[in-house]
């Protein structure tokens, strides 16, 4: 039986208050990444909604908002959600590790689930498990568009008692589908592939602009084998800035505030720094311990790291500031204090206000988290080696070198107290040069055998804050206009650029386009337990995702518009 679209949308309206974005001061960004409109002229005017019906195809509502369509989509999402494509940090080469085997099954299932895509698209395998689909357009002079997703998920909670249903059973309870990755990114992968399959089912349909789908396989482990290799492949074919627009997962979805629905695509990502601390000391029997054990010393280091204070900052004309301006215009009574701060242009006051809430604090501030600690030994023996893993996501005001200096300062206090040899980022040439220029003596490469042990600091993954993608101009207007059409209701839909707290495969594609957006079009409140036990998504909300991708592909590929703003030569 048909689903009532208006009821579907109201039922899953988000109840979250709001989430905000942060971005870099224009002086810190390359000129191509600066916002062209200043805060003095930015008014948060909205582009018109864009209805793709000019192409004569069935509407998204006709295609996807029926009971039959939803059950078909449940089966498609179940097919990939049942495959344990887990990305482990210690995966060995493909032929040496059985844990890669599920990715082979994934390829077979995807091919079986989307037969028309595999019939009509050119399918290329990149670095064993990466996939690139090319649906050639009728006009080869137009730059292609790229939609991306990934196959892998994070390791699951090992305590099965915490799971109401086995993690890879892909249980459907009549409303929600359960399992790792059903939100992001197997949910996004399924929605994108389903939209394209629907379009290609009409054999008379052919895009004017080439459509690319890139599917990575190790995004949860930094994407160095998947998206990085795919990016090189696409770069060799299309060149620098050879792709018109890229849309990846991420962003902050759709959030309701009264009669306004805020759509929050991420227009940049925070920086990323993983730091590992290796402590080597003398072990021994636990019956005769020293005054301070290795685990005790490392615990003190954890406290020192968590006491590092990073300053929150709302940067003028950045996405946080602009989002606040939009909220002040369309939801002025939601937070009167914040509205007054925006009207008075009090950036410090805005930062202080937002930093008081855990929900918004790290959108304007660097975050850090201690994620792993381990000691090698038995209960009756003191470990001589303990390691610690930490994760830093840097806000634009804190570059990587600044973070590293703060980390070294904290570690040096602990190493000095316990007479440890400190070896800080010795393989990092940029840090060593910075430390040398600053006259730092906190990292001594010569091991002192008279010390009580060694504390070594090493960075595993480093990425800087990415450039901002435009929130003005043709590409943004089509993205925002499609959002305003696909999620229209009797209120106002406000698309506004946001921040990406984490990191996605998109950081590997930055050289291919200046229009890189990260957004999974899903409402807050439509999913639960993201990245933990009992992750699940409401399938009615998933259907909206499919409908959005269906509309977006059509709008980006239509060459029939007479409006000057939609001339394909401008994209």
């Amino acid at each position: 039986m048909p689903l009532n679209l208006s009821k579907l949308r109201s039922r899953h309206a988000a109840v979250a208050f709001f989430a905000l974005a942060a971005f870099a001061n224009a002086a810190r960004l390359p000129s191509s990444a600066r916002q062209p409109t200043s805060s003095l002229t930015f008014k948060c005017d909205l582009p018109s909604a864009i209805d793709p019906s000019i192409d004569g195809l069935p509407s998204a509502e006709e295609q996807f908002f029926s009971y039959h369509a939803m059950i078909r989509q449940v089966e498609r999402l179940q097919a990939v959600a049942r495959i344990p494509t887990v990305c482990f940090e210690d995966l060995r080469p493909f032929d040496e590790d059985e844990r890669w085997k599920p990715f082979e099954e994934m390829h077979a299932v995807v091919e079986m689930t989307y037969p028309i895509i595999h019939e009509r698209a050119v399918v290329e395998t990149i670095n064993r498990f990466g996939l690139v689909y090319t649906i050639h357009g009728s006009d080869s002079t137009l730059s292609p568009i790229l939609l991306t997703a990934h196959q892998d998920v994070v390791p699951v909670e090992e305590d099965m008692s915490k799971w109401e249903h086995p993690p890879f059973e892909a249980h459907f309870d009549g409303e929600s589908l359960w399992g790792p990755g059903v939100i992001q990114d197997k949910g996004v992968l399924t929605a994108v592939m389903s939209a394209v399959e629907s379009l290609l089912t009409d054999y008379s349909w052919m895009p004017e602009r080439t459509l690319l789908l890139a599917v990575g396989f190790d995004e949860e482990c930094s994407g160095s084998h998947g998206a990085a290799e795919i990016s090189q492949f696409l770069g060799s074919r299309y060149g620098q800035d050879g792709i018109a627009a890229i849309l990846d997962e991420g962003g902050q979805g759709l959030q309701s505030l009264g009669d306004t629905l805020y759509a929050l695509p991420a227009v940049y990502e925070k920086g990323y720094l993983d730091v590992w601390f290796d402590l080597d000391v003398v072990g021994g029997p636990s019956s005769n311990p020293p005054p301070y054990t290795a685990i005790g010393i490392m615990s003190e280091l954890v406290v020192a790291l968590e006491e590092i204070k990073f300053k929150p900052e709302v940067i003028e004309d950045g996405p946080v500031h602009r989002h606040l301006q939009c909220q002040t215009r369309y939801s002025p009574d939601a937070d009167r204090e914040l509205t007054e701060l925006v009207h008075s242009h009090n950036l410090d006051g805005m930062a202080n206000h937002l930093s008081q809430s855990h929900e918004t604090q790290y959108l304007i501030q660097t975050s850090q988290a201690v994620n792993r600690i381990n000691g090698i030994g038995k209960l009756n023996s003191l470990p001589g080696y303990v390691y610690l893993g930490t994760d830093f996501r840097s806000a634009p005001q804190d570059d990587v070198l600044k973070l590293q200096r703060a980390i070294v300062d904290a570690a040096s206090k602990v190493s000095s107290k316990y007479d440890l040899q400190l070896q800080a980022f010795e393989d990092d040439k940029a840090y060593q040069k910075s430390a040398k220029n600053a006259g730092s003596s906190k990292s001594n490469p010569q091991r002192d055998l008279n010390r009580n042990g060694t504390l070594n600091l090493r960075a595993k993954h480093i990425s800087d804050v990415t450039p901002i993608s435009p929130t003005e101009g043709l590409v943004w207007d089509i993205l925002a206009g499609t959002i305003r059409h696909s999620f229209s209701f009797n209120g106002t839909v406000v698309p506004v650029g946001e921040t990406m707290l984490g990191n996605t495969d998109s950081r590997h594609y930055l050289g291919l386009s200046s229009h890189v957006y990260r957004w999974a079009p899903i409402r807050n409140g439509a999913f639960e337990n993201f990245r933990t036990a009992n992750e699940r998504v409401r399938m009615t909300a998933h259907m909206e995702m499919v409908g959005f991708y269906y509309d977006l592909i059509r709008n980006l590929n239509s060459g029939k518009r007479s409006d000057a703003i939609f001339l394909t030569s401008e994209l």
Side-chain angles (χ1 to χ4, degrees):
M1 68 183 195
L3 294 175
N4 186 311
L5 186 60
S6 62
K7 288 184 178 179
L8 181 152
R9 284 173 172 158
S10 63
R11 185 187 308 165
H12 298 299
V15 296
F17 182 67
F18 62 90
L20 301 162
F23 197 68
N25 187 325
R28 297 189 180 103
L29 295 173
S31 59
S32 61
R34 295 177 186 172
Q35 298 271 37
T37 303
S38 74
S39 60
L40 297 177
T41 57
F42 178 72
K43 305 298 182 185
C44 199
D45 294 330
L46 301 176
S48 299
I50 305 175
D51 183 346
S53 62
I54 192 172
D55 61 13
L57 293 175
S59 70
E61 185 171 355
E62 292 172 314
Q63 288 283 73
F64 306 113
F65 291 96
S66 69
Y67 179 76
H68 171 75
M70 187 175 74
I71 294 304
R72 179 184 59 193
Q73 201 63 14
V74 166
E75 293 171 351
R76 286 173 170 173
L77 184 50
Q78 283 178 323
V80 294
R82 286 174 174 147
I83 306 172
T85 48
V86 178
C87 192
F88 297 96
E89 288 184 352
D90 60 347
L91 280 167
R92 299 185 300 279
F94 301 135
D95 293 327
E96 299 176 14
D97 200 320
E98 290 292 317
R99 292 175 294 178
W100 287 113
K101 290 292 185 182
F103 290 89
E104 296 177 355
E105 182 184 356
M106 173 69 88
H107 286 200
V109 166
V110 169
E111 183 173 357
M112 181 175 62
T113 305
Y114 304 101
I116 298 177
I117 291 179
H118 286 80
E119 174 190 340
R120 294 191 60 186
V122 176
V123 186
E124 295 167 287
T125 302
I126 310 300
N127 198 24
R128 188 74 167 264
F129 297 119
L131 294 169
V132 172
Y133 296 85
T134 303
I135 297 97
H136 287 292
S138 60
D139 188 344
S140 61
T141 66
L142 300 177
S143 299
I145 57 173
L146 171 63
L147 304 180
T148 75
H150 63 87
Q151 308 161 57
D152 56 308
V153 298
V154 297
V156 301
E157 168 61 56
E158 295 181 358
D159 184 355
M160 289 297 107
S161 68
K162 295 183 178 180
W163 293 87
E164 294 184 39
H165 305 283
F168 294 105
E169 182 181 86
H171 174 76
F172 179 56
D173 63 12
E175 181 179 24
S176 298
L177 199 146
W178 301 54
V182 295
I183 305 166
Q184 294 186 49
D185 202 36
K186 289 183 178 180
V188 170
L189 173 63
T190 302
V192 169
M193 296 291 283
S194 297
V196 176
E197 182 83 357
S198 180
L199 288 165
L200 294 179
T201 298
D202 182 346
Y203 280 79
S204 67
W205 184 82
M206 180 182 186
E208 291 195 17
R209 185 184 304 279
T210 292
L211 172 64
L212 304 172
L213 310 178
V215 185
F217 59 88
D218 65 338
E219 191 271 353
E220 304 295 357
C221 301
S222 82
S224 58
H225 299 295
E229 295 286 338
I230 293 173
S231 179
Q232 289 188 22
F233 171 78
L234 294 176
S236 67
R237 178 171 292 175
Y238 298 105
Q240 182 83 8
D241 291 326
I243 293 177
I246 299 173
L247 180 61
D248 196 3
E249 61 162 330
Q252 298 193 31
L254 293 146
Q255 302 185 12
S256 290
L257 196 56
D259 62 353
T260 303
L261 181 65
Y262 292 89
L264 308 171
V267 293
Y268 90 105
E269 291 183 1
K270 294 176 76 174
Y272 181 45
L273 175 66
D274 273 352
V275 179
W276 292 87
F277 302 81
D278 302 292
L279 176 61
D280 280 298
V281 295
V282 177
S286 59
S287 58
N288 186 27
Y292 304 101
T293 64
I295 292 177
I297 293 171
M298 195 64 93
S299 299
E300 190 165 330
L301 177 59
V302 170
V303 173
L305 291 170
E306 292 187 342
E307 287 180 348
I308 299 175
K309 304 300 181 185
F310 297 104
K311 181 182 178 182
E313 185 175 345
V314 173
I315 298 172
E316 185 169 11
D317 286 332
V320 168
H321 191 201
R322 290 195 169 194
H323 186 178
L324 289 173
Q325 289 173 292
C326 290
Q327 181 175 305
T328 297
R329 175 172 177 177
Y330 297 102
S331 309
D333 297 324
D335 187 333
R336 293 302 307 178
E337 179 182 349
L338 198 52
T339 296
E340 291 302 318
L341 291 169
V342 173
H343 281 315
S344 61
H345 200 71
N346 187 343
L347 296 173
D348 289 339
M350 296 177 220
N352 181 66
H353 186 90
L354 299 178
S355 66
Q356 302 306 308
S357 169
H358 183 71
E359 297 298 320
T360 53
Q361 176 183 5
Y362 293 115
L363 297 163
I364 57 170
Q365 182 178 335
T366 294
S367 67
Q368 63 163 308
V370 175
N371 294 330
R372 186 174 298 179
I373 187 168
N374 194 21
I376 309 299
K378 296 168 57 180
L379 187 59
N380 64 351
S381 111
L382 298 169
Y385 170 71
V386 177
Y387 69 85
L388 173 73
T390 59
D391 175 305
F392 294 82
R393 307 297 172 109
S394 59
Q397 62 268 23
D398 299 317
D399 62 32
V400 169
L401 289 174
K402 181 178 178 180
L403 288 186
Q404 288 177 297
R405 288 192 293 269
I407 293 164
V408 172
D409 284 344
S412 66
K413 295 174 184 176
V414 176
S415 63
S416 296
K417 178 178 178 179
Y418 296 105
D419 198 24
L420 301 171
Q421 179 79 31
L422 179 63
Q423 298 175 322
F425 306 115
E426 293 188 353
D427 294 330
D428 188 330
K429 293 181 181 179
Y431 173 78
Q432 291 301 322
K433 181 178 179 180
S434 174
K436 183 178 179 180
N437 292 340
S440 173
S441 60
K442 292 173 182 175
S443 177
N444 184 353
Q446 301 300 318
R447 183 179 177 91
D448 185 347
L449 297 179
N450 293 321
R451 295 287 182 91
N452 290 330
T454 302
L455 178 60
N456 182 57
L457 282 58
R458 52 191 171 89
K460 186 174 181 180
H461 298 296
I462 300 177
S463 61
D464 293 319
V465 173
T466 66
I468 190 171
S469 290
T471 53
E472 296 174 354
L474 178 60
V475 175
W476 173 260
D477 285 347
I478 294 177
L479 174 62
T482 303
I483 292 170
R484 300 199 70 223
H485 167 75
S486 296
F487 297 96
S488 62
F489 69 120
N490 58 2
T492 304
V493 180
V494 180
V496 57
E498 255 289 0
T499 187
M500 186 73 204
L501 292 179
N503 299 96
T504 67
D505 272 344
S506 66
R507 67 187 184 274
H508 296 292
Y509 298 122
L510 295 175
L512 299 176
S513 178
S514 59
H515 296 86
V516 181
Y517 302 98
R518 308 146 186 90
W519 194 55
I522 190 166
R523 299 173 187 269
N524 275 17
F527 57 89
E528 296 180 60
N529 303 318
F530 180 48
R531 282 194 165 193
T532 188
N534 301 312
E535 179 176 340
R536 56 192 180 272
V537 64
R538 292 177 184 168
M539 285 304 298
T540 46
H542 176 85
M543 300 307 292
E544 287 188 305
M545 294 174 65
V546 184
F548 165 76
Y549 289 119
Y550 177 76
D551 288 343
L552 180 66
I553 294 168
R554 295 161 66 197
N555 279 334
L556 284 168
N557 276 286
S558 177
K560 299 178 182 178
R561 301 185 182 279
S562 58
D563 235 313
I565 190 172
F566 297 115
L567 288 175
T568 53
S569 60
E570 294 181 25
L571 187 58

